[in-house]
Amino acid sequence: MDHNDRDEIFTILILEEMSLQMLLLCMMYMLVVSTAAERHYRKHILKDRTFIRIQARLDHLDRLIKSNDLNCVEQLRMDRRTFTLLCELARTIGGLKEDGLVTIEEQMAMFLHILAHHVKNRVIKFRFMRSGETISRYFNLVLNAVIRMHSVLLVSPEPVPEEYADERWKWFKGCLGALDGTYIRVRVPEVDKPRYRNRKGEITSNVLGVCSRDMRFVYVLPGWEGSAADSRVLRDAIVKPNGLKIPVGNYYLVDAGYTNGEGFLAPYRGTRYHLSEWTEGRTPNSPEEYFNLKHSQARNVIERCFGLLKLRWAILRSPSFYPIRTQGRIIIACCLLHNLIRREMAIDPIEAQLDEVATTIEDVETIDVVEPSDHWATWRQNLAVQMFNEWNASRGHGGVV
């Protein structure tokens, strides 16, 4: 190999070594740049995205509970003042805590939104920008807190006084309100469906509701199967240690599905009763018919109460995916929140839509049986005759039965 060939080979080797060094330098530079870019991404971009997410969440919550009463009522079924009071009651009486992750206001807003609109977990996940696990966990925490508030949200009924001018209630001295059962559709395991199937073939729970004259719940008993008779559910309610208590001398208005006995005043069976049967100028022709008319007008309060409850909370209008025990607790919570709204809001906009479309009494003798009573039947008949005669006299007929 001559001298020129050696120089050429040497030059090639030097160039290859320089190329390798340049490649290594480029790679090191790219590594440094990418590491710096990652640090910048984590420090600024992700931080900015987290901030934007938190701000969007706060903005959504503000629109719900701070912007105006209209939004708050439409989305959460109560005005801003009532919502604030509810959060305070949940904190002080319900034991609901703020853990630094989700405020009590946001916990309550998610809970009410689910009850009001019966939307699935993934919908709340999108709207409130929280994980599904977070939503489920706080739903149950708020549910338990609301149930613990029953002592301040259930009402103690006041009996109709002797001198009472209200035409609807004046005949029913000592009456505490009205009670009835309602069917609420539920979702149960296949093996339990026969027990929960009611007369219409729907899978439901038979819920006993007792309300005062101002359409607030006094007592609620959920959990019974849809196949259970109303009278059986009522018997269970009055024998429970913390069940429905009716002082002797007082009573509730009930429909013909219940026994007419002490504590429970029922209409006459086989006689016109429902308000729809008194349209087109029809008038009562006997004491029994007139009694049924006045009884129906007063007892209608429980029908309106149930109608308002289901209109307010969509979760009661179709089966939910919660376990049956949780579904029963949801029913109680809806009744308690209904009472709070009725108590705190001077105008209930949901009631306008309706027009368009456990209290324990201590040291008092109470009724502990549900059975027919000749004395009670006689009292009802005397009351019916008195009502009919006075009504006839007021019309100028002057007839006496």
Side-chain angles (χ1 to χ4, degrees):
M1 182 181 297
D2 59 18
H3 179 72
N4 290 333
D5 290 340
R6 285 197 303 271
D7 288 345
E8 186 176 347
I9 293 173
F10 183 70
T11 300
I12 292 172
L13 290 175
I14 291 175
L15 290 173
E16 288 180 351
E17 184 177 353
M18 290 178 63
S19 298
L20 181 60
Q21 289 176 352
M22 289 295 295
L23 179 61
L24 289 174
L25 286 173
C26 289
M27 292 177 62
M28 291 176 64
Y29 177 76
M30 291 176 62
L31 180 61
V32 170
V33 170
S34 63
T35 303
E38 183 178 358
R39 284 201 301 267
H40 180 270
Y41 177 78
R42 293 182 180 278
K43 183 177 180 180
H44 298 287
I45 306 301
L46 287 182
K47 183 178 180 180
D48 290 344
R49 286 186 178 180
T50 302
F51 174 79
I52 292 171
R53 186 182 182 85
I54 293 173
Q55 189 60 48
R57 185 185 300 145
L58 292 175
D59 290 342
H60 176 67
L61 189 61
D62 284 348
R63 286 195 302 273
L64 285 178
I65 64 175
K66 293 183 179 180
S67 61
N68 58 69
D69 283 334
L70 180 61
N71 286 345
C72 203
V73 170
E74 285 183 347
Q75 300 301 318
L76 307 181
R77 299 298 187 253
M78 61 187 67
D79 59 26
R80 291 171 295 174
R81 187 188 66 83
T82 306
F83 179 83
T84 301
L85 175 61
L86 174 60
C87 292
E88 184 60 27
L89 289 174
R91 179 185 292 108
T92 57
I93 297 176
L96 192 61
K97 301 185 185 307
E98 192 167 306
D99 56 9
L101 297 176
V102 183
T103 65
I104 287 180
E105 288 73 18
E106 187 178 357
Q107 294 178 44
M108 189 62 70
M110 290 191 294
F111 177 77
L112 292 177
H113 203 285
I114 292 173
L115 299 188
H117 304 282
H118 195 197
V119 291
K120 293 185 178 180
N121 189 295
R122 60 175 176 265
V123 177
I124 301 298
K125 175 181 175 181
F126 176 78
R127 291 178 179 172
F128 286 83
M129 288 172 281
R130 295 288 187 182
S131 70
E133 186 278 332
T134 296
I135 294 164
S136 178
R137 174 158 44 91
Y138 284 108
F139 178 88
N140 285 284
L141 288 174
V142 177
L143 176 61
N144 292 335
V146 172
I147 296 295
R148 285 192 288 266
M149 292 155 55
H150 72 276
S151 60
V152 297
L153 293 182
L154 289 175
V155 301
S156 299
E158 294 292 333
V160 176
E162 284 295 327
E163 301 297 330
Y164 199 61
D166 189 326
E167 281 295 323
R168 177 174 294 186
W169 292 96
K170 72 175 186 177
W171 288 108
F172 304 108
K173 307 296 189 296
C175 180
L176 299 171
L179 67 82
D180 201 359
T182 188
Y183 291 121
I184 293 180
R185 288 190 287 168
V186 294
R187 196 178 303 275
V188 296
E190 197 68 31
V191 67
D192 294 328
K193 285 186 176 181
R195 294 190 296 118
Y196 282 88
R197 185 171 284 110
N198 64 20
R199 296 187 301 271
K200 296 181 179 179
E202 297 176 329
I203 307 303
T204 62
S205 174
N206 190 348
V207 179
L208 173 68
V210 184
C211 77
S212 59
R213 299 192 307 274
D214 60 354
M215 293 175 59
R216 286 194 282 166
F217 286 100
V218 173
Y219 179 80
V220 183
L221 178 61
W224 273 89
E225 301 90 339
S227 61
D230 288 345
S231 56
R232 183 183 178 191
V233 180
L234 179 57
R235 284 189 174 89
D236 181 47
I238 66 173
V239 300
K240 284 180 176 293
N242 295 318
L244 177 64
K245 306 301 178 184
I246 309 172
V248 171
N250 296 125
Y251 59 93
Y252 285 99
L253 302 182
V254 298
D255 70 11
Y258 297 92
T259 300
N260 181 63
E262 188 175 8
F264 308 98
L265 183 59
Y268 289 94
R269 295 183 180 180
T271 303
R272 282 190 296 179
Y273 176 72
H274 295 288
L275 294 178
S276 59
E277 299 179 81
W278 300 103
T279 58
E280 300 179 357
R282 295 178 181 174
T283 57
N285 296 315
S286 67
E288 291 78 13
E289 285 192 353
Y290 187 69
F291 175 87
N292 275 12
L293 171 61
K294 304 307 288 186
H295 186 286
S296 181
Q297 289 174 340
R299 197 195 65 85
N300 188 51
V301 68
I302 185 64
E303 303 291 350
R304 288 181 60 81
C305 204
F306 281 140
L308 186 56
L309 182 74
K310 294 178 182 180
L311 189 60
R312 193 188 310 281
W313 308 115
I315 199 169
L316 301 182
R317 300 198 295 267
S318 57
S320 69
F321 288 90
Y322 295 96
I324 185 62
R325 183 173 180 274
T326 302
Q327 292 179 65
R329 293 169 67 81
I330 289 172
I331 293 169
I332 295 175
C334 288
C335 293
L336 295 175
L337 293 169
H338 164 92
N339 277 10
L340 177 68
I341 293 168
R342 296 287 298 176
R343 187 186 80 187
E344 297 297 328
M345 291 176 59
I347 299 176
D348 185 354
I350 305 297
E351 187 173 3
Q353 296 179 29
L354 179 65
D355 293 332
E356 295 172 2
V357 291
T359 302
T360 302
I361 305 175
E362 299 180 356
D363 301 324
V364 176
E365 185 183 3
T366 58
I367 295 164
D368 56 5
V369 294
V370 183
E371 59 185 21
S373 165
D374 291 338
H375 166 73
W376 198 255
T378 301
W379 175 78
R380 179 180 67 172
Q381 183 62 28
N382 292 337
L383 177 60
V385 170
Q386 181 187 358
M387 292 166 65
F388 186 68
N389 287 339
E390 185 169 317
W391 175 67
N392 260 337
S394 69
R395 299 167 67 210
H397 291 186
V400 177
V401 177

